[in-house]
Amino acid sequence: MFEKIMFPTDFSEVSTHVLENCIPKLFEMGTKEIIVIHVVDILPSQYMIMEELEMEAKKKLDKIIEDLKSKGINATGNVYLGSITPTIVEEARCPYLEIIDRGVCEMVDLIVIPSKGKNLKRLTQIGNTALNVVRKSSIPVLLLKYDWNREKNSLEFYGDCGRMFEKPLIALDLSPCSDLIISVVRRFSEKIKHAKLYHVVDYGDVEKMEENIEKAKNALSLYAKKLDFDCDTEVGVGIASKEILAKIVEYKPSMLVIGKTGRGYLREILLGSTADALIREAKIPILVVPCR
């Protein structure tokens, strides 16, 4: 299991839901330590009240840590200030760089972050902070998906905190990235009741389609033989993102596991188009494995 995790909070309703419902479940499943952080967004115009903003954030974070410890959870926390430089004003507004740096410095196994936050009611597909953390992080990221239910006028979480790891849909592109995905999945293999290894053939000439499908089936079978949990394999044909989204509806997984780069190893802040579409559109928790 992921023993040391980090959770960045913006003190929103979404963050509170994660802390009260999902974090305790992760500790029941084997997590041993959590680091909760908050990054104060500092604009150049707010420089004079920086200390006040920091103190206010520390009070809120101290309350969170106190609540977690009262539940028997090994928790620590800290507040960080977004960097202000005249040349990187935009990044001063976005705390994702500080989140990523903290994760590396603290040597966490997993960053847990909700896909919404302060902008929940704006109904954007995913908050910029969460998306940028996924894009740049060298640490696996667990995205917990939220939306605003207009009919009920309430927060809606897409998933089950206590059963997230029980029935994963593991999307493999059969590049070396797939080996990294499997190595991360092994960390929670004891929690898996059943899994599906899934690959979509979206490449090659029509004449070679059958050959590519057969090769993909054989490759998935080899991966399955290396695993110590119940799983089956399946190969789809078509546009990868659309086929995986359709498979989510059919298979009803508890979680989607994907790599954030695919064939071609896209670098810097770009995600492959398949991963990008899935992160934005899939309405289940998503474990994103960095493949660099």
Side-chain angles (χ1 to χ4, degrees):
M1 191 55 186
F2 302 101
E3 293 190 355
K4 187 175 183 180
I5 66 175
M6 186 176 75
F7 180 71
T9 178
D10 60 3
F11 307 124
S12 65
E13 184 180 358
V14 172
S15 291
T16 299
H17 183 276
V18 176
L19 288 164
E20 293 180 350
N21 296 277
C22 291
I23 297 305
K25 294 295 184 183
L26 288 174
F27 274 78
E28 290 175 12
M29 289 185 276
T31 297
K32 296 180 179 179
E33 181 181 356
I34 182 172
I35 300 169
V36 184
I37 71 168
H38 174 75
V39 181
V40 180
D41 293 336
I42 301 292
L43 300 176
S45 61
Q46 296 176 313
Y47 181 75
M48 297 301 294
I49 60 170
M50 182 171 61
E51 290 187 7
E52 293 179 31
L53 294 173
E54 184 179 11
M55 290 302 297
E56 181 181 353
K58 282 184 176 180
K59 289 180 181 179
K60 293 179 180 179
L61 189 59
D62 287 345
K63 178 63 167 58
I64 287 173
I65 300 303
E66 181 183 338
D67 290 343
L68 290 173
K69 287 183 175 180
S70 70
K71 299 174 182 177
I73 292 174
N74 179 17
T76 56
N78 211 338
V79 171
Y80 299 94
L81 300 178
S83 301
I84 303 177
T85 69
T87 58
I88 318 179
V89 174
E90 283 302 315
E91 290 186 350
R93 296 181 179 182
C94 300
Y96 74 91
L97 291 175
E98 191 67 40
I99 293 170
I100 292 167
D101 287 345
R102 287 301 99 200
V104 172
C105 291
E106 297 289 351
M107 295 186 290
V108 301
D109 304 316
L110 180 72
I111 297 173
V112 180
I113 191 167
S115 65
K116 300 292 181 71
K118 292 181 291 186
N119 298 322
L120 178 70
K121 293 184 181 181
R122 296 182 187 177
L123 300 179
T124 55
Q125 283 296 315
I126 190 169
N128 286 335
T129 297
L131 182 57
N132 284 324
V133 168
V134 171
R135 283 174 165 168
K136 295 290 287 183
S137 177
S138 60
I139 299 166
V141 178
L142 176 58
L143 278 172
L144 301 178
K145 307 299 287 291
Y146 287 83
D147 210 335
W148 188 257
N149 190 313
R150 291 182 177 182
E151 293 182 0
K152 297 181 180 180
N153 195 35
S154 63
L155 187 68
E156 183 173 7
F157 172 56
Y158 292 122
D160 184 331
C161 295
R163 304 180 65 184
M164 282 190 295
F165 300 102
E166 290 186 3
K167 189 183 177 184
L169 175 63
I170 305 166
L172 302 178
D173 68 0
L174 307 184
S175 75
C177 179
S178 297
D179 295 302
L180 293 172
I181 293 171
I182 293 298
S183 69
V184 171
V185 169
R186 286 197 179 102
R187 296 185 186 181
F188 58 90
S189 61
E190 72 280 1
K191 306 301 177 186
I192 297 175
K193 294 184 178 179
H194 186 269
K196 181 183 287 290
L197 304 184
Y198 191 56
H199 175 74
V200 179
V201 176
D202 60 352
Y203 49 89
D205 298 332
V206 175
E207 293 80 8
K208 293 186 177 181
M209 189 62 69
E210 290 299 325
E211 179 183 344
N212 290 335
I213 292 173
E214 194 60 32
K215 287 181 178 179
K217 288 180 178 178
N218 292 335
L220 288 182
S221 295
L222 291 175
Y223 279 114
K225 290 177 181 178
K226 299 177 183 178
L227 301 174
D228 58 357
F229 51 81
D230 183 32
C231 72
D232 56 27
T233 64
E234 185 176 345
V235 175
V237 178
I239 299 173
S241 59
K242 291 184 178 180
E243 294 301 317
I244 294 171
L245 288 170
K247 187 56 58 178
I248 289 172
V249 174
E250 176 191 329
Y251 181 61
K252 295 180 173 56
S254 59
M255 167 190 289
L256 174 64
V257 184
I258 58 174
K260 73 173 181 178
T261 61
R263 296 185 301 274
Y265 295 90
L266 301 178
R267 291 175 181 162
E268 299 179 1
I269 68 169
L270 295 178
L271 292 171
S273 58
T274 297
D276 195 25
L278 293 171
I279 287 167
R280 291 178 181 277
E281 297 179 33
K283 293 184 178 181
I284 57 174
I286 306 177
L287 177 59
V288 184
V289 179
C291 300
R292 297 184 177 183

